[in-house]
Amino acid sequence: MTRRKKLFAAAIALPIAVAVGVGLKVRRASSDTLGADACDKDLAAVFEVCEAGGEICNPDKGLEEACQAGCVMSRCPNHVACTELDPIWCKPCEDEEGALHWRILYEVHEQCSPSPDLDAWRHADWKAYSDCYIAEGERRCPALKNKPQWYRPPRTRD
């Protein structure tokens, strides 16, 4: 598992990590440095960076395509749209099989992380991150408030 995969897994499995005190070593991947014009000039490269099982997306089985789509939607919001050809772009924010759900998770993770190096995080950083992650996720998608343990991977929910 790459360091970037571990970072994204930590974002999704945060409550578990906080509960058991797991620390992961993470840094930004060198392939995660797409140019500002990548969406216009090489959208395929954005899909590659966001590829499930790659540097960023490491979701539960069956959610790989949605994770990749959410990552692409986050990086290139003006280049993806809801169409009848691919409903993954149209699903509501609380549906973890849709791109919007994963876009929100990815952006909230980036916003709430005190630093990209999880080794440097203290217990207080994990607590602040967890509080921010849940609050900001529910602010961006109010329907998540009605979905118990939405912030945990499906395989770990009660």
Side-chain angles (χ1 to χ4, degrees):
M1 183 181 278
T2 66
R3 290 178 178 190
R4 187 67 182 160
K5 284 183 193 175
K6 288 179 183 176
L7 177 61
F8 195 77
I12 303 304
L14 178 70
I16 295 168
V18 171
V20 297
V22 173
L24 301 172
K25 188 173 186 173
V26 177
R27 66 163 177 74
R28 292 207 180 270
S30 58
S31 62
D32 193 21
T33 56
L34 294 174
D37 59 351
C39 295
D40 293 322
K41 293 186 177 180
D42 195 2
L43 191 58
V46 178
F47 273 88
E48 186 177 318
V49 166
C50 293
E51 184 177 20
E55 299 284 332
I56 297 171
C57 289
N58 190 23
D60 280 358
K61 263 193 171 184
L63 300 174
E64 298 93 341
E65 188 178 339
C67 181
Q68 180 184 32
C71 174
V72 171
M73 183 184 263
S74 177
R75 291 167 180 266
C76 303
N78 297 326
H79 291 76
V80 296
C82 175
T83 67
E84 292 178 14
L85 299 175
D86 192 349
I88 200 166
W89 306 102
C90 305
K91 295 186 182 218
C93 61
E94 70 272 16
D95 187 340
E96 59 197 12
E97 293 181 0
L100 184 56
H101 178 80
W102 289 91
R103 174 187 179 171
I104 289 169
L105 296 184
Y106 181 74
E107 291 175 353
V108 166
H109 165 72
E110 292 292 316
Q111 176 184 341
C112 295
S113 294
S115 81
D117 182 6
L118 292 179
D119 282 343
W121 289 22
R122 301 171 317 229
H123 178 71
D125 294 328
W126 281 105
K127 174 75 172 113
Y129 172 82
S130 177
D131 293 346
C132 174
Y133 189 85
I134 293 169
E136 187 60 22
E138 291 176 353
R139 185 190 71 76
R140 291 183 185 205
C141 179
L144 289 175
K145 291 178 184 177
N146 300 324
K147 189 173 180 180
Q149 299 181 341
W150 63 266
Y151 44 84
R152 294 179 68 178
R155 70 182 181 282
T156 66
R157 293 182 191 143
D158 295 333

